[in-house]
Each structure stands twice: as C-alpha cells, then as structure tokens.
Amino acid sequence: MARNVLESSLLGAGFSIIFQILCRILTFGINAYIVRHVGREVLGIMNVRLLLLESTLLFLSREAINRAALSANAQQGDRCSWAQLINQMWLTVPICAVLCAPCLYIWLNWLSAVDAIYASQYEFACYAVAFSCVLELMAESAVFVAQVFCFVKLKILLNTLHILVRSAIFLWIVTGDRSAAINAFAIAQLSSAVTIVLGQYGFFYFYLKGFKDFVAQQAKKKPVAPKAWQVSLYEHMDDFPFKQLSDFLPGVMFNPNGKHFNRELQTLTLSFVKQGVLKQILTEGEKYVMSVSPVLSFGEQATYDVVNNLGSMAARFIFRPIEDSSYFYFTQTLSRDIKLSKQPQERVRQASSVLNNLLLGVSSIGLIAFTFGQSYSYPVLLLYGGPDFVAGGLPQSLLQWHCLAIYLLAVNGISEGYMFATNTSRDIDKYNYLMAIFSISFLVLSYILTGIFGPVGFIFANCINMLSRILYSTYYIRHQYRPLSLDPLLGLWPGKLFGGTLFLAGIVCYWYQSSDLVTHLGVGVLAGLACLLSWALAHRDLVRLAWRYGRRIKIE
C-alpha cells in the first residue's frame, strides 16, 4: 500500500476546514434567523435538547468501535481480517437501537418538560432523531472503509451534501410555517440521514464497477493508459479487499480467520467504551446539566448555546478536523504496545515533529481568539443576534470567557488525541479512572458554579476540567519522549515575537473598543494582520511547509 498517511491526513484536515467553514456559515445563518423570527425557546429545544439526543446516541454507538477498528487495522492487520472489521462496524446499528429505548424514555419523561404548545412536535422530533441515528449508522462500514483507504474528498463531499440537504429542507418548511420549526428540524434530520446512506453506498457501487474494469484493463498485455481521474481513484489500491457492494454487509465477506469477531479488537473496544462514556459527559456536560435540572429556561439555554456555538467556531471549523486527521495519522504511524525507542526512529522523529507543529498551530490560533475576543465579543454578537439579543450583557460576558476555553480546548484536543492514539489498552483503562474523576468533578463544578455565577459558571467548570486533562496528557507526552531527547511540547510556546505582538494588539484593540464600529473593526484588522505577520516571521519553516501542501491540495 503506497498511500501516504501523513499527506492524506493533511489533505483531510485542509478540505474539512474549508468545507466546514462554508457549511457552518449556513448553519449559523439559520440559527440567527430562528433567534430573530421564531424565538429563542424553539432554538433551545432544537439545539440543546434534540441535538444532545443525537450526539448521545451517535457518540456512544460508534466512537469506541471506530477508534478501536482504526488501531486494529493499522497494527493488527495480520490478526484481524477485514470481514471481522466490517462485522464490528455493523455492531453500531443494534447498539444504537438498544440505546434508543432508554434515551427516548429519559428525553420524553425525565427531563424538564417543554411548553404545551411544543409538546407534540417535541415528541415526534425525539422519535425522528433516534430513527435517523440508527439509519445513519447503517452506512458506518462504508464510512470506515473510506477513511482507511483515504477517500478524503468523498468524506468532505458527503458531509457537505448532508448539511445542505438538512438546511434546505428545514428552511423550506419553516419559511412556509414558522410554528412548525421543530417538526421541520425532525424531517430535516431524517432526510440528511438518508442522504448519508445513499451517498456512501452509491459511491462504492460505482467505484467497484470502475475498479473491476480498471484492474481488468491493466491485466491485459497492452493496457490502455489510464486517465488522470482513474489514476487518482484506482492506483495503489492493490490491497483493496472488496469485490462487490454486499461485502460491506455483515457476514457476507470471506473471513479467513473463521471467527466473526476478533477478541483483541473487542477488548480494545471495551476500553474505549468506558472512555467514551466519560468523554461524552465531559463534552456535553453542560447540556446534560441544563436538561436534567431547572437551572436555565429554554430561552437562556438558547442564549448560552448560541454564544457557545459562536465561541466554538474555531473548534468546529479548525480544531476538530485537525484532531481527527492527527489521530488517524498517529494511529497509523506509531504502535501502541511498543516503546518509542524500539520503533523505527524515522517514524518517531516525524511523529514528534508533527505533534510539535500541531501544538504550535492550534495554540497560536487559541491565543489569537483569546486576545481579540475580549474586545470584539460585543460587535460580533450585535451583528449576529441584534440589539435585543445582546441586551443585559450576558451574551458578551459568555463569549469573552469562552475565548479562554477556546485556547484550552485547542491544546487539549491535540495532546489528549495523541495520548489516546498511542496508549495501550492498560493505559486507557488506567486513564478511564481519571476520566471518571474529571467527569464527576465537572458535573459538580458546573452545578455549583452556575448557581454562583450563572451561565458563565459552565465555562469556568469547563476551563478547570480541560486544564486538568492538559496537565495529564502533557505529562504523558513528556515522559514518553524524554528518553529520546525529543520534546514536542515546545510547540506550546509560540515565541517572543508573536507573544509580544499579541499583547500589544490586545491593548490597542481594547483601547479603541469605545470608538465607532468602523474604526474599531479597522484597528482589529490591522492588529490581526500584524499578529499573523509576526507569527509567519517567527515560524518561516512551518509556513513554507504549509505552502507546499497547500499547492498540492490546489493541484489535486
């Protein structure tokens, strides 16, 4: 297999960033429309309660299985067959179906009730979201195959398509009847799930037909020179094991190992299951607290969610694609059960350099967000939600503090992702106990600090939690690389030139925040350009590396 894992990871991150920015702009536009024309309470029901149901079902059903399968495919290919991997991926469907029953009962009976005028729509939406999750996971085996064989553009294209379909159907229904917004949300979720299933299997149906023709043509004594698009799709795919579309179904593909499931893979999956439950609590903890206890009304939940989404734009657009691609890269490059000193040193040095550059990049982005967020939170929220939305000062305060969480989130995502990608099953089990402590502490802190500081308490609790996790993961990284005299954690320090420029930019922007909007924005643009220029001057080698890969993306 001659596929370049590092290059595919970088391409995947690059395409994900570009397309997610375009699609999330559409999503934020829809939220702004709901805030201004439909109402915050409806937005709170959809974006907090219903999306929490979707997130809970999908994460608990597939996260552990997907992470374990990626590791097994990279490091146990001789012991874990593709038939076993496909069977493992299909376990996500019955797991999700089983989880639907208790989750639906909790969402419909235990959580704080919605107003009577929305009750019937809310009940229908809960069932629709649960069914859409089961439906979406029916394509999980195809999604996994596309990820392993580096079909980067397919992933981005289908993700974009399903967001566009969901948004278009929602807007089409809501513009005709604003009172049916929750029903529109449910129908849009079902439609997007159908889009994912048809898109994945539709692609591989035509891909397998073309792949067979390509192989047959190349087997001839005088093969016809393939076209450029055929080379990009079919070259270096000698190890592609699928011959027909039914091979993506469970129990169909020939299994040389005899057993339907791999015991080592299941053991690793169970380790990730424990970790996944705790991670889900940490990721969505504030939404669980909001839903279980009457701390905030749906309107206040919507305000927090809007500000949280705005503050998390960097995480959604930039950090998450980088985290996913870097996790894939590290799982394919380093082995879990072998010390770094006994692995190929060229791979180890490359992994150290990549980790250093990743930490440098995301921490720099986080510092920029924190610096400029203090002065520009109010104008951003004013433009987004209007004067009524920013009245009272709570949204501005939420966004300013959230900018601190962005920096911690950036560092934690990469450091913890690397740790998960290189941990042994024993290390993962050990960390699960710490995650349990972090999870319980986070929920308790969220409840206590929210009672003291209001919605801002959620952000304080999240910052304390992420800082604790960062300290643990960076200790693990330092301990792992110390015998090799390598220190990828140096990437956490962006340099004196960039740090000094950021400090001055923050003071200047804060000084001009009482000026008119045009002047304030103009000063911010100039200060931002100065910060970017100082960063580029301080890290010229990394800029040249990014330029080379950027040109490659453009060419392809």
Side-chain angles (χ1 to χ4, degrees):
M1 182 170 62
R3 292 178 294 278
N4 189 316
V5 173
L6 175 58
E7 180 180 334
S8 297
S9 300
L10 291 171
L11 286 172
F15 279 120
S16 293
I17 292 169
I18 294 170
F19 281 94
Q20 285 203 36
I21 286 175
L22 296 176
C23 294
R24 292 296 180 179
I25 287 174
L26 178 60
T27 302
F28 280 108
I30 293 174
N31 286 346
Y33 173 84
I34 296 172
V35 167
R36 292 172 179 263
H37 299 93
V38 180
R40 294 189 203 180
E41 186 169 358
V42 172
L43 185 63
I45 294 172
M46 294 189 304
N47 282 14
V48 177
R49 184 67 62 82
L50 294 175
L51 286 184
L52 180 62
L53 174 61
E54 180 194 40
S55 171
T56 301
L57 289 173
L58 290 180
F59 190 94
L60 296 181
S61 300
R62 71 182 177 192
E63 179 75 6
I65 290 177
N66 182 267
R67 284 182 175 267
L70 280 174
S71 298
N73 175 69
Q75 300 162 21
Q76 301 174 5
D78 56 334
R79 290 175 287 171
C80 186
S81 67
W82 264 105
Q84 291 174 327
L85 288 172
I86 293 298
N87 292 340
Q88 190 81 4
M89 299 311 296
W90 271 94
L91 286 177
T92 58
V93 177
I95 289 173
C96 184
V98 170
L99 288 174
C100 281
C103 285
L104 283 173
Y105 183 80
I106 291 170
W107 258 252
L108 293 172
N109 298 283
W110 285 12
L111 302 185
S112 55
V114 301
D115 289 346
I117 57 174
Y118 304 121
S120 60
Q121 291 190 56
Y122 173 71
E123 182 177 359
F124 168 71
C126 284
Y127 284 107
V129 168
F131 182 71
S132 70
C133 290
V134 176
L135 190 61
E136 181 177 336
L137 290 174
M138 290 182 178
E140 195 63 20
S141 61
V143 172
F144 176 73
V145 172
Q147 185 176 12
V148 170
F149 287 95
C150 302
F151 289 100
V152 176
K153 296 178 183 178
L154 171 67
K155 175 184 176 182
I156 305 306
L157 177 63
L158 291 182
N159 284 347
T160 304
L161 181 62
H162 106 84
I163 289 175
L164 290 176
V165 168
R166 183 176 65 185
S167 302
I169 291 176
F170 177 80
L171 286 175
W172 176 58
I173 297 175
V174 170
T175 51
D177 183 6
R178 294 180 185 177
S179 64
I182 300 176
N183 282 338
F185 175 87
I187 295 171
Q189 288 291 113
L190 288 169
S191 302
S192 66
V194 172
T195 302
I196 292 173
V197 175
L198 294 180
Q200 289 287 347
Y201 287 113
F203 168 81
F204 279 109
Y205 173 77
F206 289 105
Y207 181 84
L208 288 171
K209 289 181 62 177
F211 185 61
K212 287 180 182 178
D213 296 339
F214 178 80
V215 172
Q217 182 61 42
Q218 295 303 303
K220 293 181 180 179
K221 292 183 178 180
K222 294 182 179 180
V224 177
K227 298 178 181 179
W229 65 270
Q230 291 177 316
V231 172
S232 64
L233 276 177
Y234 305 130
E235 196 175 39
H236 305 312
M237 296 295 285
D238 298 334
D239 58 338
F240 190 70
F242 302 93
K243 308 300 180 185
Q244 54 193 1
L245 194 62
S246 59
D247 287 342
F248 290 87
L249 300 176
V252 174
M253 192 176 186
F254 172 70
N255 185 8
N257 295 345
K259 297 181 179 180
H260 291 294
F261 298 100
N262 182 278
R263 180 173 296 180
E264 294 182 22
L265 176 59
Q266 289 179 315
T267 301
L268 185 59
T269 302
L270 289 175
S271 297
F272 278 116
V273 165
K274 302 171 190 174
Q275 189 183 91
V277 172
L278 299 173
K279 186 176 179 181
Q280 177 66 8
I281 293 174
L282 292 172
T283 303
E284 304 283 9
E286 68 271 13
K287 291 186 179 180
Y288 288 119
V289 173
M290 290 180 193
S291 300
V292 171
S293 63
V295 177
L296 303 175
S297 67
F298 278 112
E300 291 172 321
Q301 291 180 30
T303 300
Y304 176 84
D305 184 67
V306 167
V307 174
N308 186 56
N309 285 336
L310 284 171
S312 301
M313 287 179 70
R316 293 169 182 250
F317 297 163
I318 302 175
F319 300 148
R320 185 58 188 267
I322 293 175
E323 288 170 22
D324 290 344
S325 297
S326 62
Y327 179 84
F328 174 71
Y329 165 73
F330 289 127
T331 57
Q332 308 301 301
T333 304
L334 300 176
S335 298
R336 293 180 181 272
D337 301 320
I338 304 175
K339 291 183 178 181
L340 292 184
S341 58
K342 296 181 180 180
Q343 298 189 39
Q345 290 306 293
E346 182 60 31
R347 284 192 173 190
V348 173
R349 283 192 293 271
Q350 185 189 65
S352 175
S353 176
V354 169
L355 180 57
N356 177 85
N357 291 335
L358 286 171
L359 289 173
L360 175 63
V362 298
S363 63
S364 299
I365 295 170
L367 288 172
I368 290 175
F370 176 73
T371 301
F372 288 90
Q374 306 310 305
S375 301
Y376 290 92
S377 294
Y378 181 82
V380 167
L381 292 169
L382 179 64
L383 293 172
Y384 183 83
D388 292 338
F389 181 70
V390 295
L394 174 61
Q396 179 185 358
S397 180
L398 282 170
L399 187 54
Q400 286 175 329
W401 281 107
H402 202 284
C403 291
L404 173 61
I406 289 174
Y407 171 74
L408 297 174
L409 183 69
V411 175
N412 180 70
I414 297 300
S415 61
E416 196 172 66
Y418 173 85
M419 185 177 67
F420 291 157
T422 56
N423 270 164
T424 63
S425 297
R426 184 177 179 181
D427 290 332
I428 293 172
D429 288 334
K430 186 191 302 182
Y431 187 63
N432 285 337
Y433 293 107
L434 280 176
M435 287 282 281
I437 296 173
F438 292 151
S439 302
I440 295 171
S441 302
F442 173 64
L443 293 177
V444 172
L445 280 173
S446 295
Y447 195 86
I448 294 174
L449 294 178
T450 303
I452 299 173
F453 300 104
V456 179
F458 284 123
I459 300 176
F460 292 162
N462 202 22
C463 289
I464 295 171
N465 167 64
M466 283 190 291
L467 182 60
S468 302
R469 292 161 62 184
I470 289 170
L471 291 174
Y472 185 87
S473 58
T474 51
Y475 170 79
Y476 167 83
I477 293 170
R478 188 179 298 279
H479 179 75
Q480 191 181 37
Y481 279 95
R482 183 177 295 167
L484 304 176
S485 299
L486 297 171
D487 190 5
L489 296 179
L490 291 174
L492 291 173
W493 172 243
K496 295 180 181 179
L497 177 61
F498 177 63
T501 307
L502 267 182
F503 181 75
L504 292 175
I507 292 176
V508 171
C509 292
Y510 184 80
W511 183 267
Y512 278 93
Q513 68 176 349
S514 58
S515 305
D516 61 275
L517 183 60
V518 175
T519 302
H520 190 204
L521 293 177
V523 170
V525 170
L526 294 175
L529 291 174
C531 291
L532 294 176
L533 180 61
S534 67
W535 190 93
L537 291 173
H539 308 288
R540 289 184 287 272
D541 293 340
L542 192 55
V543 171
R544 283 193 289 266
L545 179 64
W547 175 258
R548 286 203 303 270
Y549 279 106
R551 290 185 63 186
R552 186 170 298 178
I553 291 174
K554 183 178 180 180
I555 291 172
E556 295 191 6

